[in-house]
Amino acid sequence: MSEDIAALIADVDEERTLAAVASALDAGTDPLLLVEALRHGMSSVGERFEAREYFLPDLILSADIFNQATALIEPRLEGGSGPSRGGVVIGTVQGDIHDIGKNIVATMLRCSGYDVHDLGVDVPPAAFVGKVKETGAGLVAMSGLLTFAFDSMKETVQAFADAGLRDSVKMMIGGGPVNETVLDYCGADAYGKDPSEAIRLAGALIDAALPLGSQTRSRPT
Amino acid sequence: MKMTKRLFENDTMTAEERLQAVINLQVPDRVPSSPFIYYFAAKYAGITVHELWSERKRYLAAIDKCFDELGPWDAYYPVNPRYPEIYTLIMPMKARWPGIDLPPDSICQLLETEVMKAEDYAWVSEMAGKWGRLSYVGFFLRMIARAWDHIDEGFGAFTYAVPRMVHHLAGWRLEFDSWRRRGVTTLYGFLPEVAFDSFSLARGLMPFVKDCRVRPEEVARAAEDLTEGYYFITRVICALMGIPRAQLFLHRSSNDFLSPKMFNELAFPSLKSLVDRLVAAGIQVVLHCDGNWDLNLEKLRELPAGNCIVEFDGPSNIFLAKEVIGDRMCIMGDVPPDMLCLASVSEVDEYCHRLIEEVGKGGGYIMASGCEVPPNARPENVRAMLGSVTKYGYYGTKPREQSPIPEPHTMPT
């Protein structure tokens, strides 16, 4: 059953995924197993996206299916949706209000099991710092579409250094014009070209389970 | 008015002749340039963005300063709306404007809201059947009323928008004539967002993605049904502006937003219909292709050869594009925004040299920024980009340093 659900959401089949989840719940399947199956399927979606078999619409639609499915499951979960993979504070940096990419990454992170604290758009550096202090999140994800965002990202990284938190927090950036040059400029730890890569990087940065790839860097000293 | 002035002493063509040569895939005397400069001009001239869009003389002075000190360029890239609401007649979205909703020195920011509803696809097709060549007007009058609280629907939108559009176009025409006197041509006379992408902007990305899954035929049909209206308004405005070229914005058709299958089946048919009709009417087309188009390039070969410019903004592989479509279309771009902001002059110079050598090989290339020159670009990098066309861009002659031929001009009033 779980394998079917993983395959169905991986195929972005909304109707059959939701029907399978409802059926499994009625049959008494452990809700945590269903959540895990959905996450497994979402992981396959990410792999197909990286292989350019899937595109942005597939990410958006599969995340929407995931959210609908977990809404069905949540009432049956007594102890939450399983262990968190860690906390992520995410936002579009100060001076920029573009949120499509940020919202997709936030949703994909939630689908992957992270506790996501979304600060929205036009987020000042102090707000990122404050949220990390409040939640203890280990990863900050900054988004920006405008070239103005480069300076805001740099100021946010500096704000964490000024607060004495830079060594305890990983920071990644993303958005249309972001690349290696921008990463060097703002002093974050990694950048992601697309939502799927952001998820992979989050795993590498938080879990340290994967070797850091070519798009991560040592923290500046 | 025929253009006669040459921009540099070594030029053997006027800017218009040069632009025509590259569009026709012929070898010009040198690579032409056409930078998309708007917000950058405000910062460079020391005025706010609010002053840039609300005070026309200041806009003109700011652009002149860029041209005189960082240029010249061959083709003026007009994007300056005289009224914020005019913007909505091109991109049907709610927006925040500097000096209105944002601090005066911010840049305009577009909001992802549902200006258009799912049921509007059926309305578009029905309206287009009734309004025909005026369907562009019908569609955008509904959208502008939804995007701005102070504009009423129907006749109220018409009486509000049309006089302002006429005023805006009159200003454009004066500007274009002024540039022509200076030996600079204008890239296009009108710049609509194509219908399919307009739907994506007006619906918001998330709802639009679902539309393409739930009601794909309805979306594609509505875009196709608007072709007559797009064709008519584009042809009329290009004629009024005296520029037989139109820019078609394609903000949402790249592989970043659509699969190649969706592009081929849903977006491309209405795009091809429009381009074919415009070209048949003698209007050349600039496709403003934001995002990554690598997997769509082959499909673009179906558009008429020797009549289109394809403008890239950085994410597409412009060198691959030269291989795939370079024998059919002129390529424009793509000095990336991050490079203009953060790189050194020598890095910009090196990249522009490569663009000219590889993409400009045999003609068919226009030097330009990747989409807009960012407001925080380094002026010396913009100068290096524009200067590269005389440093490296002459065909059949050795590169040499030259100064532009100075000539005072009169600003339109």
Side-chain angles (χ1 to χ4, degrees):
Chain A
M1 179 65 77
S2 296
E3 286 178 9
D4 290 345
I5 289 171
L8 288 169
I9 194 170
D11 288 340
V12 200
D13 190 330
E14 178 178 355
E15 193 175 334
R16 293 177 65 200
T17 303
L18 297 179
V21 168
S23 173
L25 286 169
D26 289 344
T29 307
D30 182 350
L32 281 177
L33 287 178
L34 297 178
V35 173
E36 197 51 43
L38 290 166
R39 286 180 180 162
H40 184 66
M42 289 299 291
S43 178
S44 297
V45 170
E47 288 166 11
R48 292 187 192 184
F49 181 85
E50 290 196 4
R52 303 199 88 172
E53 180 187 343
Y54 276 180
F55 292 82
L56 188 66
D58 304 296
L59 290 187
I60 292 172
L61 293 168
S62 60
D64 186 55
I65 297 169
F66 182 92
N67 288 335
Q68 291 184 64
T70 50
L72 294 176
I73 297 168
E74 270 170 4
R76 310 283 184 97
L77 288 169
E78 292 173 357
S81 57
S84 167
R85 295 185 66 187
V88 183
V89 172
I90 189 169
T92 302
V93 296
Q94 190 165 40
D96 198 336
I97 64 166
H98 293 92
D99 63 359
I100 293 176
K102 185 267 297 175
N103 289 344
I104 293 170
V105 171
T107 302
M108 297 290 287
L109 284 167
R110 285 194 189 96
C111 295
S112 301
Y114 295 96
D115 288 330
V116 178
H117 309 282
D118 188 345
L119 298 177
V121 299
D122 194 16
V123 181
F128 280 104
V129 173
K131 200 65 180 178
V132 165
K133 284 181 177 174
E134 176 192 329
T135 62
L139 177 64
V140 171
M142 296 180 281
S143 174
L145 188 70
L146 307 174
T147 54
F148 279 140
F150 302 165
D151 285 328
S152 296
M153 289 171 175
K154 185 173 187 173
E155 288 162 12
T156 305
V157 172
Q158 186 58 46
F160 276 88
D162 294 344
L165 292 171
R166 188 65 186 92
D167 288 335
S168 57
V169 174
K170 296 287 185 183
M171 304 185 78
M172 67 179 190
I173 58 176
V178 169
N179 59 19
E180 186 77 35
T181 306
V182 180
L183 178 65
D184 286 340
Y185 177 75
C186 75
D189 298 302
Y191 83 95
K193 291 195 298 287
D194 53 52
S196 179
E197 187 161 38
I199 306 310
R200 190 178 62 77
L201 286 173
L205 290 168
I206 285 191
D207 304 342
L210 298 170
L212 295 182
S214 60
Q215 282 159 311
T216 63
R217 43 170 269 163
S218 300
R219 184 166 307 161
T221 53
Chain B
M1 184 190 352
K2 186 169 170 59
M3 181 184 292
T4 55
K5 185 180 183 308
R6 285 163 174 71
L7 289 168
F8 292 93
E9 56 188 66
N10 276 5
D11 288 355
T12 58
M13 290 177 159
T14 65
E16 177 62 26
E17 289 167 345
R18 187 171 301 114
L19 189 61
Q20 277 307 315
V22 294
I23 295 172
N24 296 332
L25 306 176
Q26 297 162 347
V27 180
D29 58 344
R30 68 164 165 81
V31 169
S33 62
S34 184
F36 178 171
I37 290 181
Y38 187 58
Y39 297 114
F40 172 81
K43 184 151 190 214
Y44 185 66
I47 63 174
T48 66
V49 173
H50 178 248
E51 289 165 335
L52 186 79
W53 71 254
S54 63
E55 299 180 42
R56 184 160 172 269
K57 284 188 177 177
R58 286 193 151 190
Y59 164 79
L60 295 171
I63 290 289
D64 279 354
K65 185 175 170 65
C66 294
F67 180 81
D68 293 338
E69 297 178 9
L70 306 177
W73 50 72
D74 293 284
Y76 172 53
Y77 198 126
V79 285
N80 51 319
R82 182 167 270 200
Y83 303 94
E85 295 87 349
I86 295 295
Y87 213 89
T88 318
L89 296 177
I90 304 300
M91 296 174 72
M93 303 176 82
K94 287 180 182 280
R96 290 182 181 165
W97 278 80
I100 298 179
D101 324 282
L102 297 170
D105 212 15
S106 312
I107 69 172
C108 175
Q109 301 211 18
L110 299 165
L111 306 178
E112 288 285 329
T113 56
E114 287 189 50
V115 171
M116 180 179 170
K117 307 297 178 191
E119 55 268 27
D120 283 329
Y121 294 113
W123 167 79
V124 164
S125 288
E126 185 185 345
M127 181 273 297
K130 292 177 184 168
W131 289 48
R133 53 175 51 181
L134 295 179
S135 57
Y136 183 97
V137 178
F139 175 65
F140 277 90
L141 287 185
R142 175 171 279 199
M143 294 302 115
I144 196 174
R146 291 187 183 164
W148 295 89
D149 292 339
H150 63 278
I151 302 178
D152 295 328
E153 283 225 24
F155 189 66
F158 182 85
T159 55
Y160 189 94
V162 171
R164 285 166 174 78
M165 188 65 174
V166 170
H167 190 210
H168 166 81
L169 292 175
W172 259 21
R173 176 71 202 217
L174 289 172
E175 281 177 41
F176 299 170
D177 290 344
S178 170
W179 284 110
R180 195 177 289 121
R181 284 193 291 275
R182 304 169 77 175
V184 175
T185 191
T186 296
L187 188 62
Y188 49 80
F190 188 47
L191 67 169
E193 181 91 26
V194 299
F196 184 86
D197 294 54
S198 290
F199 296 159
S200 177
L201 297 174
R203 290 282 289 135
L205 183 65
M206 306 293 179
F208 185 70
V209 163
K210 290 182 183 174
D211 293 343
C212 290
R213 172 63 69 100
V214 174
R215 48 175 67 85
E217 295 87 2
E218 201 178 347
V219 174
R221 189 184 320 118
E224 184 84 39
D225 289 342
L226 279 177
T227 299
E228 175 70 18
Y230 269 74
Y231 164 73
F232 180 73
I233 194 90
T234 302
R235 195 173 172 188
V236 167
I237 293 180
C238 285
L240 290 171
M241 295 301 99
I243 307 291
R245 286 182 291 272
Q247 170 153 276
L248 303 181
F249 279 115
L250 292 149
H251 286 107
R252 292 282 183 84
S253 284
S254 71
N255 305 138
D256 297 332
F257 289 101
L258 299 177
S259 67
K261 184 173 187 293
M262 291 170 78
F263 175 74
N264 293 347
E265 295 176 0
L266 303 182
F268 188 74
S270 54
L271 172 65
K272 180 169 167 51
S273 295
L274 181 59
V275 173
D276 284 348
R277 290 199 66 180
L278 290 172
V279 168
I283 297 175
Q284 296 166 324
V285 172
V286 184
L287 300 176
H288 183 102
C289 295
D290 278 356
N292 189 326
W293 281 71
D294 290 354
L295 300 179
N296 292 345
L297 292 174
E298 195 68 37
K299 194 70 178 172
L300 295 182
R301 292 186 60 82
E302 295 178 22
L303 299 177
N307 281 286
C308 299
I309 298 168
V310 184
E311 180 187 4
F312 296 114
D313 68 339
S316 297
N317 183 342
I318 197 168
F319 304 100
L320 173 68
K322 178 70 173 180
E323 291 175 22
V324 178
I325 60 172
D327 61 330
R328 294 184 63 82
M329 308 176 118
C330 174
I331 296 170
M332 178 171 168
D334 70 343
V335 184
D338 68 281
M339 180 177 281
L340 290 170
C341 291
L342 302 176
S344 65
V345 168
S346 61
E347 287 169 324
V348 173
D349 180 79
E350 185 181 347
Y351 185 69
C352 291
H353 191 183
R354 186 182 172 210
L355 285 172
I356 288 169
E357 290 297 321
E358 296 183 33
V359 188
K361 188 176 182 181
Y365 171 65
I366 301 168
M367 173 61 67
S369 48
C371 197
E372 183 172 0
V373 173
N376 50 340
R378 297 172 65 197
E380 56 270 34
N381 285 350
V382 179
R383 187 183 290 114
M385 174 181 73
L386 294 173
S388 67
V389 297
T390 51
K391 189 174 180 183
Y392 305 114
Y394 280 98
Y395 290 91
T397 56
K398 291 181 181 176
R400 51 190 287 185
E401 295 292 332
Q402 333 173 53
S403 300
I405 301 169
E407 183 179 309
H409 76 288
T410 309
M411 218 162 36
T413 55

